[in-house]
Amino acid sequence: MMISVSSRLGYLPYLANPIQKNQFILCQNAEDPFVQWCISNKETAIQTFSFDRSLAEKLMSDGLMGGDEEIAEYERGGIPWCITYTFMPDELKSLLNNLGAKNIELAGPGAYARTIPNELLVKIMNDAKQRADFLDFCYQYDSTPYVCGMGKDNLFAKCDL
């Protein structure tokens, strides 16, 4: 079985860097509307950004992205941005163990890649040999327990049931 859940450690950096998705844009001319939105809203995101320590501490302690306003909107029958529960690696592993899973392997996809500046990612990904070597190494790095959960957004688990 394979499962991907939201990673608490992966999400926390968003609260201090609203433009971090821009780092992973490999083609500025991509037709994808979200890519173009990220590019066109970069300066606004920088200008309007303000770090809120209380939001980071709340996410770190309870694992919830979203809160009272979203819950109230949902209860009124609205369709707010969803409440997202974010997992810590040991929490996910414990849940899977309790469900009888065996041979649990965790990874934090993007943990290594998030440390590389955009200009270098573009260069690596545009060269077939470098890309293959880089992605193989990313898998190796992202699977180590020391960085597990520090992936881009998700925490990945592979196990036997």
Side-chain angles (χ1 to χ4, degrees), residues 97-115:
N97 273 324
N98 291 341
L99 293 171
K102 306 286 185 226
N103 303 316
I104 300 168
E105 297 176 31
L106 300 177
Y112 189 68
R114 80 182 321 164
T115 69

Side-chain angles (χ1 to χ4, degrees), residues 29-121:
N29 299 321
E31 293 182 19
D32 184 289
F34 183 67
V35 169
Q36 290 308 311
W37 182 87
C38 287
I39 292 168
S40 64
N41 285 288
K42 181 179 178 180
E43 289 307 314
T44 301
I46 293 168
Q47 296 293 325
T48 60
F49 172 74
S50 176
F51 180 73
D52 185 336
R53 179 180 176 173
S54 66
L55 290 176
E57 288 175 338
K58 181 185 179 311
L59 176 59
M60 185 68 146
S61 69
D62 69 15
L64 292 174
M65 291 287 291
D68 295 338
E69 290 178 29
E70 289 88 351
I71 292 169
E73 177 67 20
Y74 179 78
E75 289 175 347
R76 286 191 298 270
I79 306 172
W81 184 259
C82 62
I83 303 296
T84 301
Y85 183 76
T86 60
F87 290 83
M88 293 292 281
D90 58 341
E91 178 185 19
L92 178 60
K93 190 169 190 174
S94 177
L95 284 169
L96 292 170
N97 273 324
N98 291 341
L99 293 171
K102 306 286 185 226
N103 303 316
I104 300 168
E105 297 176 31
L106 300 177
Y112 189 68
R114 80 182 321 164
T115 69
I116 311 297
N118 174 267
E119 297 84 355
L120 296 177
L121 279 175

Side-chain angles (χ1 to χ4, degrees), residues 7-28:
S7 170
R8 189 170 313 168
L9 297 173
Y11 262 93
L12 276 164
Y14 279 120
L15 300 179
N17 183 0
I19 62 168
Q20 67 175 272
K21 286 195 182 288
N22 291 60
Q23 172 188 353
F24 298 101
I25 296 173
L26 301 177
C27 176
Q28 298 288 316

